[in-house]
């Protein structure tokens, strides 16, 4: 194989790759005799390896030219590794505490190396399934979202800077089109790859495909997703893209990153917390009914939005140097307050709509979530999924009647058993 050509790596060939790259070897203290490599990719798209020696460690992630969970019948660009690296570096620059450092990038190989988030770090989704509380989760995620979204928007940047960045990330169109398909299209039509807990949810899936009011609102959201270059969003900010301990929160896997609507990120995170809430009844047992844990999830949903709004507004008040709202025009405190209130209201409704769409696609679309999939009792799983689906459909269609996050939390509590 010629240098500069793509080749998929396995544990054996990865060792040779590391030996040929002094930068990577030095991260391991050049102690390659006792190297251990473990493939841990449990996602839908890529191969992920933990590489460690007695004196160092890192993670290698390689994109392959198809969707891993489907196979070569669904091709997918390897260039997603380039955009993931760009996003990690930019978001890491803006929020160093919550984004792991990138050490190495090889564009021809569609491969990068990043900091290994050592145990006890685990994927947040797994912690939610296990019923673990993370006291700093809302604080950390609100900080990450406020900083990355505000500082890559026109509230902070000039239109010249913004359009240059937008143009760069337009190259990630294949991943955007994948999102368009699996979030905004497949659940609402007969689709080859869509699935659900059959036969129990057959009628529910059909009802989604027949709900014209739902389709009209999904069209509005799809238009915003495709047309609004508001900020550099992660693009796939669910609870499987966050690693946590009791005092650390790290956001990973931004391969879907592009300049899109802010509410898509916030909604993805909150929507997946709502899915976790509805899944708890499937993980309860005689020793733990999960009622207290469900209350913690609802508090976290509420705290995440409220803290985000506070932090985002503070950044706006302290650093609004962008071209969106020129001080020469919006010069009085009263007018500035009105501008902020309108902006936040629109962002809140976007968040609810996108969050609901992400919930629906995880129940009747192609890629599901372990929160439900690990409920062994299929009847209980379908019960949990149906309650989540009914809430999501209502939230998507009626999102504009909600003015505060506590109203949303109240509506979650009122979903019939």
């Amino acid at each position: 194989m010629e240098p500069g050509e793509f080749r998929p790596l396995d544990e054996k060939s990865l060792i040779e790759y590391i030996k040929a790259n002094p930068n990577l070897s030095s991260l391991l203290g050049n102690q390659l005799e006792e190297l251990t490599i473990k493939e841990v990719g449990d996602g839908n798209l890529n191969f992920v390896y933990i590489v460690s020696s007695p004196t160092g460690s890192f993670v290698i992630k390689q994109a392959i030219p198809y969707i891993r969970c489907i196979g070569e019948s669904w091709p997918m660009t390897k260039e997603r590794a380039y955009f993931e690296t760009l996003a990690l570096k930019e978001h890491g620059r803006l929020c160093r505490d919550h984004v792991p450092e990138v050490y190495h990038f090889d564009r021809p190989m569609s491969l990068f190396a990043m900091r290994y988030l050592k145990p006890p770090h685990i994927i947040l989704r797994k912690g939610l399934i296990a019923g673990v509380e993370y006291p700093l989760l809302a604080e950390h995620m609100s900080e990450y979202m406020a900083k990355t979204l505000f500082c890559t928007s026109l509230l902070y940047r000039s239109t010249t800077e913004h359009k240059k960045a937008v143009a760069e990330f337009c190259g990630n169109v294949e991943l955007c089109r994948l999102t368009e398909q699996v979030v905004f299209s497949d659940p609402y039509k007969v689709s080859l790859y869509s699935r659900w807990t059959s036969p129990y949810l057959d009628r529910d899936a059909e009802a989604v495909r027949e709900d014209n009011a739902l389709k009209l609102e999904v069209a509005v959201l799809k238009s915003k997703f495709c047309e609004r270059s508001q900020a550099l969003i992660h693009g796939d900010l669910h609870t499987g893209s966050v690693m946590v301990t009791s005092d650390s929160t790290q956001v990973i896997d931004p391969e879907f990153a592009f300049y899109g609507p802010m509410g898509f990120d916030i909604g993805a995170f909150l929507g997946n917390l709502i899915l976790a809430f509805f899944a708890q009844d499937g993980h309860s047992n005689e020793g733990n009914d999960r009622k207290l844990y469900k209350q913690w999830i609802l508090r976290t949903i509420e705290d995440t939005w409220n803290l985000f709004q506070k932090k985002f507004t503070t950044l706006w008040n302290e650093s609004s140097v962008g071209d969106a709202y020129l001080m020469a025009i919006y010069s009085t405190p009263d007018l500035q307050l009105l501008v902020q209130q309108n902006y936040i209201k629109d962002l809140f409704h976007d968040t609810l709509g996108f969050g609901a769409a992400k919930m629906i696609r995880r129940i009747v679309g192609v890629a599901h979530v372990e929160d439900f999939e690990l409920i062994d009792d299929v009847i209980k799983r379908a019960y949990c999924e149906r309650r989540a689906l009914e809430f999501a459909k209502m939230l998507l269609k009626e999102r504009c009647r909600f003015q505060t996050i506590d109203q949303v939390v109240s509506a979650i509590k009122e979903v019939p058993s």
Side-chain angles (χ1 to χ4, degrees):
M1 187 71 67
E2 291 296 320
E5 285 189 45
F6 175 82
R7 62 189 187 280
L9 298 178
D10 56 22
E11 284 92 337
K12 184 178 179 180
S13 56
L14 182 54
I15 293 174
E16 299 307 313
Y17 180 86
I18 293 167
K19 288 179 178 178
N21 282 270
N23 179 41
L24 293 178
S25 298
S26 67
L27 290 169
L28 300 168
N30 294 308
Q31 296 190 15
L32 306 184
E33 295 77 18
E34 300 179 59
L35 204 60
T36 61
I37 296 178
K38 182 180 179 182
E39 208 283 310
V40 294
D42 61 356
N44 296 318
L45 296 180
N46 308 292
F47 284 91
V48 181
Y49 301 92
I50 297 172
V51 181
S52 56
S53 77
T55 55
S57 61
F58 51 78
V59 165
I60 291 278
K61 184 171 181 179
Q62 185 177 38
I64 52 177
Y66 53 86
I67 295 179
R68 180 178 179 179
C69 69
I70 301 294
E72 295 185 28
S73 63
W74 194 331
M76 182 55 56
T77 176
K78 308 185 304 297
E79 275 292 272
R80 60 186 186 268
Y82 169 69
F83 294 105
E84 179 167 7
T85 303
L86 277 187
L88 281 169
K89 289 181 176 180
E90 178 66 358
H91 284 171
R93 184 181 68 82
L94 297 170
C95 192
R96 184 175 301 175
D97 290 343
H98 303 303
V99 181
E101 182 183 357
V102 174
Y103 299 136
H104 168 83
F105 176 58
D106 184 336
R107 192 167 187 174
M109 287 288 287
S110 302
L111 172 154
F112 64 89
M114 59 182 277
R115 178 164 67 95
Y116 171 41
L117 300 170
K118 297 179 181 179
H121 280 96
I122 64 167
I123 295 293
L124 172 58
R125 191 183 303 283
K126 296 182 184 299
L128 295 171
I129 293 167
V132 180
E133 293 186 14
Y134 297 98
L136 296 176
L137 182 63
E139 175 71 32
H140 289 170
M141 287 303 297
S142 62
E143 180 179 355
Y144 166 81
M145 293 188 294
K147 287 182 175 179
T148 59
L149 296 176
F150 177 84
C151 292
T152 59
S153 76
L154 283 171
L155 297 173
Y156 186 75
R157 285 180 169 172
S158 70
T159 51
T160 303
E161 294 172 310
H162 191 71
K163 287 188 181 297
K164 182 179 179 181
V166 169
E168 177 73 73
F169 274 89
C170 279
N172 207 16
V173 61
E174 274 199 49
L175 274 291
C176 292
R177 284 185 60 78
L178 177 59
T179 301
E180 292 167 34
Q181 177 179 341
V182 300
V183 176
F184 302 109
S185 298
D186 283 354
Y188 307 96
K189 64 184 182 70
V190 175
S191 172
L192 176 63
Y193 295 110
S194 289
R195 61 184 180 88
W196 49 87
T197 304
S198 183
Y200 306 98
L201 295 186
D202 287 359
R203 183 66 194 98
D204 302 83
E206 185 181 9
V208 170
R209 298 194 299 269
E210 293 176 350
D211 192 331
N212 289 337
L214 191 64
K215 291 178 181 179
L216 287 172
E217 293 302 326
V218 166
V220 173
L221 293 169
K222 182 178 180 181
S223 177
K224 287 189 176 186
F225 179 84
C226 296
E227 298 167 2
R228 192 164 197 198
S229 304
Q230 200 172 22
L232 177 58
I233 66 173
H234 178 286
D236 199 27
L237 193 55
H238 53 74
T239 52
S241 296
V242 182
M243 296 193 72
V244 288
T245 67
S246 60
D247 59 3
S248 172
T249 305
Q250 302 290 319
V251 178
I252 60 172
D253 294 350
E255 62 198 322
F256 284 80
F258 78 112
Y259 274 77
M262 296 180 184
F264 193 77
D265 268 6
I266 312 166
F269 184 69
L270 295 185
N272 274 260
L273 288 180
I274 298 172
L275 289 177
F277 171 87
F278 282 111
Q280 292 306 310
D281 288 344
H283 300 295
S284 63
N285 53 49
E286 290 183 5
N288 185 355
D289 61 13
R290 297 286 180 110
K291 286 183 178 178
L292 289 176
Y293 192 63
K294 288 164 72 175
Q295 292 176 17
W296 175 81
I297 293 176
L298 294 181
R299 286 198 306 274
T300 300
I301 291 167
E302 200 164 337
D303 289 347
T304 299
W305 171 261
N306 287 334
L307 286 167
F308 165 80
Q309 180 178 336
K310 180 180 179 181
K311 294 169 191 283
F312 189 90
T313 304
T314 298
L315 286 169
W316 190 334
N317 289 335
E318 294 176 350
S319 309
S320 186
V321 295
D323 283 351
Y325 299 101
L326 300 177
M327 287 300 295
I329 301 172
Y330 304 94
S331 54
T332 67
D334 288 347
L335 184 54
Q336 291 169 11
L337 181 60
L338 282 173
V339 164
Q340 285 186 350
Q341 288 173 339
N342 286 338
Y343 194 102
I344 295 295
K345 181 180 74 173
D346 288 345
L347 179 52
F348 181 61
H349 291 150
D350 282 356
T351 294
L352 300 184
F354 286 124
K358 298 279 274 184
M359 290 175 66
I360 292 169
R361 79 87 147 200
R362 293 296 190 179
I363 299 169
V364 295
V366 57
H368 289 215
V369 290
E370 287 184 335
D371 308 67
F372 294 129
E373 297 287 280
L374 292 181
I375 300 172
D376 292 329
D377 185 329
V378 69
I379 295 176
K380 186 177 286 188
R381 183 199 311 159
Y383 164 79
C384 295
E385 290 176 320
R386 180 175 291 113
R387 295 182 73 224
L389 182 60
E390 288 301 311
F391 176 77
K393 287 160 59 180
M394 179 280 295
L395 186 63
L396 200 154
K397 289 185 283 189
E398 301 179 27
R399 62 191 180 280
C400 291
R401 76 174 172 88
F402 294 95
Q403 301 305 314
T404 61
I405 193 67
D406 64 291
Q407 292 174 352
V408 178
V409 168
S410 295
I412 295 172
K413 294 177 181 177
E414 293 166 5
V415 174
S417 297

